[in-house]
Amino acid sequence: MGGAGTGAGTGTVGTAFLLAAAPAGRGRAMDATSVLPALAAVPPGVLTGTTTATVVELADPLDPQTVLTRLRAAAASPGPLLVCLAGQLHLDRRQQRPHLALARTTPATLRYTALPWHWVAGELAVRPPGTTTVVVDLAADPDLWARLTTAPDLLSLGPGPLLYGRVTPAPRRGVPMTPDYLRSWAELWRSGARLPYATLHAESAAHAASAVTESRLLAPAPAPVSPQEQDPHPAILAAAMAGRHGEAAAVAAAWEREALRGHGPRSAEAVHWTEVRADLARLAGDPARSCELWLAAAEARLGLRQPTDDPDVEGAVDRAHHQWEQIGDPARARALGPTLVALRRRVPGRQPGALAALTRRMAD
């Protein structure tokens, strides 16, 4: 599980470069700087995965040359570098290149007042592979959003930096959007979880999905792992047993989403991770959530045409029943009771009188 950094030693000094910018006035489509207090509240060493770190923070800078100078100095640091960018991307129609808008940027002055994206790529390209991570939460103007559909690598930073992010279409008018994706990274860091960057990305993308109708996610291709690293269960269990329940649940949820993407919702792989999450909820002392997940797992197994006397089906219903009995909130127990009763009628299990005991308890 390790830290979220880039593999630095404990004595290494890291650098975090935080840039949030958007045009002033009516051209502002994202309230970019609103994420800076959340990022600033994260201990610097947590941002970079090192013992100590230097933080460079730029809020609504005016001049792209100033930003370039500060970024160049950060990129020259020998330790791990984390770059967080929140703001707006606009397309230079003449050169078909993206630019990050700054405080004085307007459509007419884009080429002179915005930060060219290829400047960012150029400064980071000289750094050793594996030492640089870039996390972005960006709103794209209509021209750039359309260009992304035909040129998906338009925002590539080259082979060295690891790029994670969310790009959404900028609202045409009205209230500016907020950088919820990047704020979620900050909240996960502040929770004390030391999650891999890929897990932070997956969790933050899921958290921010409800805020926008459409988005494009950026993430590097998964790196090959050795057979010893392919089984995540020991690390998940170790986190749960150490009391890091949020971290354990986040990693299991990320693996469940991978199973859903790779095998579909009606698959044994997806059901397995639902059951892992159910057991993690039990370990975290949340019997209601555990019951909900065991009920979902039982329904899913029955949906896969497993017979009602299959040990896995019976086990899921038995565990849901046991967790239901541990629920201290009567309202939650009443809400889950009908689903459990319906399942108990289909899957009576091997404990005599289980259904009768359940119905009596429901009647109390």
Side-chain angles (χ1 to χ4, degrees):
M1 296 296 296
T6 51
T10 56
T12 305
V13 178
T15 302
F17 182 87
L18 315 178
L19 169 60
R26 297 178 61 185
R28 176 160 295 199
M30 176 180 278
D31 184 12
T33 58
S34 65
V35 76
L36 288 178
L39 288 170
V42 181
V46 173
L47 290 171
T48 58
T50 56
T51 304
T52 58
T54 300
V55 177
V56 179
E57 181 179 312
L58 297 178
D60 277 334
L62 302 176
D63 177 44
Q65 289 291 342
T66 300
V67 177
L68 178 64
T69 300
R70 302 292 297 275
L71 177 61
R72 181 170 295 160
S77 61
L81 172 65
L82 172 74
V83 178
C84 293
L85 303 177
Q88 299 172 211
L89 283 179
H90 296 257
L91 188 69
D92 173 10
R93 295 184 183 181
R94 182 181 301 178
Q95 296 184 342
Q96 293 293 297
R97 284 180 162 181
H99 287 59
L100 182 70
L102 301 181
R104 293 190 301 189
T105 299
T106 67
T109 64
L110 178 68
R111 299 183 67 192
Y112 313 104
T113 60
L115 180 70
W117 190 256
H118 62 274
W119 285 11
V120 178
E123 295 304 318
L124 302 182
V126 300
R127 292 180 52 81
T131 65
T132 310
T133 303
V134 181
V135 186
V136 303
D137 198 347
L138 302 166
D141 77 355
D143 290 334
L144 191 137
W145 183 255
R147 186 87 173 90
L148 280 174
T149 62
T150 58
D153 293 332
L154 186 66
L155 302 181
S156 172
L157 295 173
L162 299 177
L163 174 62
Y164 296 94
R166 177 189 74 156
V167 184
T168 59
R172 295 184 180 275
R173 59 176 60 87
V175 178
M177 60 187 299
T178 54
D180 299 314
Y181 166 83
L182 190 52
R183 182 179 286 114
S184 179
W185 278 69
E187 291 171 353
L188 287 167
W189 274 321
R190 291 179 64 191
S191 73
R194 298 297 181 267
L195 302 174
Y197 284 136
T199 304
L200 288 165
H201 167 71
E203 285 300 302
S204 298
H207 176 79
S210 60
V212 295
T213 58
E214 194 175 10
S215 64
R216 181 180 294 273
L217 299 177
L218 309 172
V225 295
S226 68
Q228 291 77 19
E229 296 172 318
Q230 288 178 352
D231 183 5
H233 296 81
I236 292 172
L237 180 59
M241 297 306 291
R244 302 195 309 274
H245 299 294
E247 176 181 336
V251 176
W255 278 90
E256 183 180 36
R257 282 193 294 276
E258 286 299 314
L260 289 169
R261 279 193 290 265
H263 303 279
R266 299 177 63 85
S267 65
E269 291 82 1
V271 176
H272 166 75
W273 284 105
T274 300
E275 293 177 340
V276 170
R277 292 172 58 221
D279 208 41
L280 291 174
R282 175 187 65 83
L283 292 172
D286 189 350
R289 182 59 177 153
S290 182
C291 177
E292 288 175 341
L293 290 166
W294 280 118
L295 290 172
E299 294 276 14
R301 288 194 177 279
L302 291 170
L304 291 172
R305 300 186 182 277
Q306 291 182 237
T308 56
D309 60 353
D310 184 292
D312 288 335
V313 176
E314 290 183 338
V317 178
D318 287 346
R319 291 179 178 91
H321 191 161
H322 177 72
Q323 289 299 297
W324 182 82
E325 291 177 337
Q326 312 306 311
I327 299 173
D329 181 353
R332 290 290 301 276
R334 281 194 299 272
L336 292 169
T339 303
L340 179 57
V341 169
L343 269 173
R344 263 296 176 219
R345 289 191 174 123
R346 296 176 66 188
V347 186
R350 315 210 174 182
Q351 298 293 328
L355 177 59
L358 175 60
T359 52
R360 282 197 304 271
R361 176 93 181 269
M362 285 286 292
D364 292 342

